[in-house]
């Protein structure tokens, strides 16, 4: 069964304290792994797509990496405005548009 | 402005009273999807559409219907809502980027069924 697991569920960091969020997945025929950011009361906002093991993408203080079993979202020197829930999702299977989301990591960055 | 819109944003209804949540996108995206988000369960896909008149079930389709008669619109229909359909609903649309699809989400519809 296709599955996406994120850890930790919640994370509190001091401003400037770098850390990583984990997304482990079990899918058949991975077509893409996605990271989204969700602020309270809003829809998820697209951050990154990763397609194959070894791929990395960066955006400001965020860097996403992918292996054959998991993805990491590295946050370097976070700021309070980085506080949000970070969601990982996979798209798997040919000829479908099925998405499977993890339950997210709630990040709180303290000033 | 490129966006996905949903209406209504908030809805309180009673068990069994048919309702429709509308979703519209102005980006000419082929692909659209509906999700529900519940605490501890994350986002779960209800239905998706890969083109006009082409729809398919996601992971939790029971109790829901959809239609895609026009490219821009993808309404979600609850024929006989029940309390277990109380949830936060999101519509999303996407285009194909490389081998996969980057989704753009609407602002959400909070539905309460009493």
């Amino acid at each position: 069964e296709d599955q996406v697991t994120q850890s930790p569920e919640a994370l509190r960091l001091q401003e400037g304290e770098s850390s990583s969020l984990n997304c482990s997945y079990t899918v058949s025929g991975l077509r893409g792994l996605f990271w989204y950011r969700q602020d309270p009361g809003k829809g998820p906002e697209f951050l990154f797509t990763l397609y194959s093991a070894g791929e990395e993408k960066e955006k400001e203080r965020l860097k996403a990496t992918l292996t054959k079993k998991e993805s990491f979202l590295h946050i370097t020197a976070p700021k309070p405005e980085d506080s949000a829930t970070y969601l990982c999702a996979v798209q798997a299977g040919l000829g479908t548009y099925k998405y499977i989301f993890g339950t997210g990591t709630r990040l709180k960055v303290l000033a | 402005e490129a966006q996905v819109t949903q209406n209504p944003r908030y809805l309180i209804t009673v068990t069994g009273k048919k309702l429709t949540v509308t979703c519209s996108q102005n980006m000419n995206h082929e692909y659209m999807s509906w999700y529900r988000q519940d605490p501890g369960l994350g986002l779960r896909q209800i239905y998706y559409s890969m083109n006009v008149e082409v729809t398919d079930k996601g992971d939790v389709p029971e109790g829901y219907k959809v239609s895609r008669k026009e490219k821009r619109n993808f309404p979600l229909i609850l024929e006989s809502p029940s309390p277990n359909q109380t949830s936060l609903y999101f519509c999303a649309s996407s285009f194909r980027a490389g081998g996969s699809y980057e989704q753009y989400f609407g602002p959400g519809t909070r539905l309460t069924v009493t």
Side-chain angles (χ1 to χ4, degrees):
Chain A
E1 182 185 347
D2 297 337
Q3 196 168 359
V4 176
T5 303
Q6 291 188 247
S7 62
E9 286 187 18
L11 182 63
R12 291 167 68 95
L13 299 173
Q14 290 296 131
E15 185 172 3
E17 180 186 2
S18 301
S19 189
S20 296
L21 313 182
N22 177 263
C23 170
S24 62
Y25 63 92
T26 307
V27 295
S28 51
L30 179 71
R31 299 179 64 190
L33 184 141
F34 305 84
W35 283 97
Y36 290 85
R37 169 190 171 129
Q38 187 175 24
D39 293 300
K42 295 190 175 182
E45 176 186 345
F46 171 78
L47 292 174
F48 302 110
T49 307
L50 301 166
Y51 294 104
S52 57
E55 190 173 359
E56 300 181 352
K57 289 196 176 171
E58 286 188 69
K59 179 180 180 180
E60 296 180 354
R61 295 177 292 282
L62 300 176
K63 179 180 177 180
T65 62
L66 181 65
T67 73
K68 288 186 178 180
K69 293 183 179 180
E70 58 191 348
S71 176
F72 292 93
L73 185 66
H74 307 278
I75 304 177
T76 302
K79 298 181 178 182
E81 53 262 43
D82 294 322
S83 297
T85 296
Y86 290 86
L87 303 172
C88 172
V90 298
Q91 187 183 3
L94 291 174
T96 77
Y97 184 53
K98 283 196 171 183
Y99 266 79
I100 302 163
F101 276 82
T103 53
T105 294
R106 293 189 313 277
L107 174 66
K108 177 75 172 177
V109 182
L110 305 170
Chain B
E1 179 189 358
Q3 60 183 350
V4 178
T5 57
Q6 295 179 227
N7 283 292
R9 293 290 314 280
Y10 302 90
L11 179 59
I12 300 174
T13 189
V14 296
T15 299
K17 186 176 181 181
K18 181 180 179 179
L19 65 92
T20 299
V21 183
T22 64
C23 173
S24 183
Q25 51 96 1
N26 63 1
M27 295 168 280
N28 202 36
H29 287 169
E30 281 186 37
Y31 308 94
M32 298 186 74
S33 192
W34 275 103
Y35 295 87
R36 60 179 290 173
Q37 187 172 38
D38 302 289
L41 297 177
L43 278 160
R44 292 179 293 167
Q45 195 173 33
I46 303 171
Y47 269 96
Y48 62 88
S49 170
M50 298 179 74
N51 212 330
V52 174
E53 302 292 0
V54 180
T55 63
D56 208 345
K57 296 177 181 178
D59 286 331
V60 288
E62 294 78 20
Y64 304 95
K65 287 177 59 178
V66 293
S67 68
R68 187 94 181 273
K69 298 189 189 314
E70 305 168 279
K71 196 172 187 179
R72 63 183 292 126
N73 296 324
F74 191 44
L76 179 69
I77 303 157
L78 284 71
E79 294 269 1
S80 184
S82 62
N84 65 12
Q85 293 179 297
T86 292
S87 187
L88 179 59
Y89 291 86
F90 289 102
C91 179
S93 72
S94 69
F95 64 97
R96 184 165 182 166
S100 194
Y101 310 89
E102 301 174 7
Q103 293 190 99
Y104 294 82
F105 283 81
T109 294
R110 188 166 292 281
L111 172 65
T112 302
V113 184
T114 62

